[in-house]
Amino acid sequence: MSQHILCLPGDGVGTEILREAVKVLDVVRERFQLAIEVTHGLVGGAAIDKEGTALSEATLKQACGADAVLFGAVGGPQWDHLPMDQRPEKGLLRLREGLVSFANLRPAILYPQLAQASSLKPEIVAGLDILIVRELTGGIYFGHPRGVKTLENGEREGFNTYVYSESEIRRIARVAFEAAQKRGGRLCSVDKSNVLEVTALWRDVVSEMARDYPDVELSHMYVDNAAMQLVRDPRQFDVIVTGNMFGDILSDCAAMLTGSIGMLPSASLNAEGKGLYEPVHGSAPDIAGQDKANPLAMILSLAMLLRYSLDEQAAADAIEKAVGGVLNQGLRTADIADDSGETVGTAAMGDAVAAALMT
Ligand code: IPM
Ligand code: MG
């Protein structure tokens, strides 16, 4: 029986980078004789323009029926005037919610070839290998009530709700503890428990769970300190677990340590291991359509998809190896350019990874 991947390229550079990932998928399909069926759908601004909504019911249904979803990026200035609940980003958020893909794994690994591209000194980032486990379907992103209301004095007031139930905290913490067991055995839970009750509960629940994982060394850190520590001494971290908004912010920060956000893949898994796979970066409207985007985060997201949802370890390993190979060859998109200043475009980078997989 063949497995089914739904591709949702979205907007901006999303379409360009996803095209390269599909190119790579075609090669591994052939090389490893994988029975994988690929279909395509619309999401974000592209879906707003053609289907009148950022994620149609039909697309959501297809996503829920698929074994995995490969997702590009959404958003762009042409849709920024829309009310919040009609914007392209809502398509992504509804997809995450509909798939219940609560566990967002964002590995930040420094490829040795890119040490020079990091914004930090090579000796601070050499060997960097952090896994950020971000809660993805709760917290302030989804809490109610939310909105903007007009007060009696005519002034507008905006409000959101930061809420986590114990069970939501437990299920994400479990993923993080288990990931730490398989890695370096250290877990740092990030919160703001000195100010926010919801994250004080987060700290309590995570601490209680530590008893079930005696082999994992648990620490806690306030989010402001965590942001500082990430740029001061990032290698102190093994696995970081945190809520939706803090994880959004800290993962962009961690991305930069690896040289470019264009290198960071992510997996968002539900309880059954089905998932949504997307690069950590966004739709980059400023460079969209110019063959400038780095497709490697998208291609590495495909590797995660093969590893976590399709259980095709050999194909996943081969893709990751091929990415290392093209970096060794000196190929660089503009975001990771080295001193030579020579760069290749999105399609040439995808071609190179595909070619490396054939050898
Ligand atoms: C991310 C992005 C999204 C988020 C946006 C596009 C909704 O920044 O995946 O990190 O905030 O989760
Ligand atoms: Mg983000």
Side-chain angles (χ1 to χ4, degrees):
M1 213 184 76
S2 74
Q3 311 217 60
H4 174 203
I5 300 179
L6 173 66
C7 291
L8 300 176
D11 311 316
V13 300
T15 49
E16 296 166 67
I17 57 174
L18 199 108
R19 197 179 301 134
E20 301 314 310
V22 170
K23 214 181 252 177
V24 169
L25 176 59
D26 284 341
V27 177
V28 287
R29 235 183 345 188
E30 184 77 24
R31 176 169 154 194
F32 294 90
Q33 298 289 304
L34 308 180
I36 298 175
E37 178 204 350
V38 179
T39 58
H40 289 262
L42 296 174
V43 72
I48 293 173
D49 291 350
K50 286 236 172 75
E51 298 171 343
T53 167
L55 180 74
S56 69
E57 284 304 318
T59 306
L60 177 59
K61 209 168 149 217
Q62 276 184 50
C64 291
D67 294 291
V69 178
L70 199 55
F71 184 100
V74 288
Q78 61 272 54
W79 302 286
D80 278 352
H81 65 281
L82 292 171
M84 193 71 79
D85 64 344
Q86 294 171 28
R87 288 171 66 144
E89 289 79 1
K90 264 285 157 191
L92 173 57
L93 296 172
R94 267 192 238 128
L95 197 57
R96 290 173 178 171
E97 192 181 24
L99 292 169
V100 204
S101 51
F102 67 90
N104 184 210
L105 311 182
R106 299 192 156 184
I109 294 166
L110 181 80
Y111 281 83
Q113 303 92 322
L114 297 183
Q116 297 302 328
S118 174
S119 49
L120 296 191
K121 297 188 196 90
E123 63 268 26
I124 293 188
V125 288
L128 180 87
D129 180 358
I130 302 176
L131 176 67
I132 298 184
V133 179
R134 169 189 177 195
E135 200 292 328
L136 201 61
T137 53
I140 198 164
Y141 271 49
F142 290 92
H144 283 273
R146 61 190 300 154
V148 178
K149 66 182 177 200
T150 305
L151 303 175
E152 270 169 25
N153 66 4
E155 189 187 10
R156 283 172 305 157
E157 184 180 77
F159 53 98
N160 287 89
T161 303
Y162 192 167
V163 56
Y164 271 119
S165 65
E166 277 190 84
S167 55
E168 282 178 300
I169 300 167
R170 269 206 197 92
R171 68 178 180 180
I172 190 68
R174 199 170 299 125
V175 171
F177 275 111
E178 286 173 7
Q181 280 178 322
K182 290 188 199 134
R183 293 173 41 106
R186 285 177 302 118
L187 175 62
C188 179
S189 173
V190 171
D191 61 44
K192 189 70 187 174
S193 61
N194 51 343
V195 178
L196 303 172
E197 286 81 354
V198 48
T199 72
L201 176 70
W202 176 287
R203 188 177 281 219
D204 283 352
V205 172
V206 175
S207 300
E208 280 162 30
M209 290 177 68
R211 281 182 227 127
D212 299 336
Y213 301 92
D215 49 340
V216 175
E217 187 191 312
L218 173 68
S219 60
H220 300 274
M221 207 179 266
Y222 298 141
V223 63
D224 47 351
N225 186 25
M228 181 173 76
Q229 296 300 332
L230 266 176
V231 291
R232 193 186 74 88
D233 175 21
R235 287 179 304 182
Q236 69 185 279
F237 296 107
D238 177 19
V239 180
I240 292 177
V241 64
T242 190
N244 206 341
M245 182 167 62
F246 296 162
D248 179 44
I249 299 165
L250 294 181
S251 58
D252 268 32
C253 179
M256 208 51 225
L257 307 177
T258 70
S260 166
I261 196 166
M263 292 297 300
L264 247 72
S266 88
S268 308
L269 306 176
N270 67 15
E272 288 85 50
K274 281 196 184 183
L276 172 68
Y277 296 82
E278 50 172 322
V280 170
H281 65 75
S283 58
D286 53 325
I287 56 163
Q290 299 171 36
D291 192 41
K292 281 189 182 157
N294 183 347
L296 295 180
M298 184 82 250
I299 291 171
L300 291 167
S301 299
L302 170 64
M304 290 187 92
L305 181 157
L306 291 163
R307 171 162 296 121
Y308 290 106
S309 286
L310 269 49
D311 202 23
E312 295 292 352
Q313 310 301 335
D317 288 346
I319 293 176
E320 284 163 0
K321 196 168 152 239
V323 168
V326 300
L327 294 175
N328 281 339
Q329 287 164 34
L331 263 71
R332 301 283 185 271
T333 42
D335 56 313
I336 50 173
D338 56 20
D339 293 341
S340 80
E342 271 175 49
T343 61
V344 297
T346 312
M349 189 59 118
D351 286 343
V353 176
L357 276 162
M358 288 186 239
T359 53

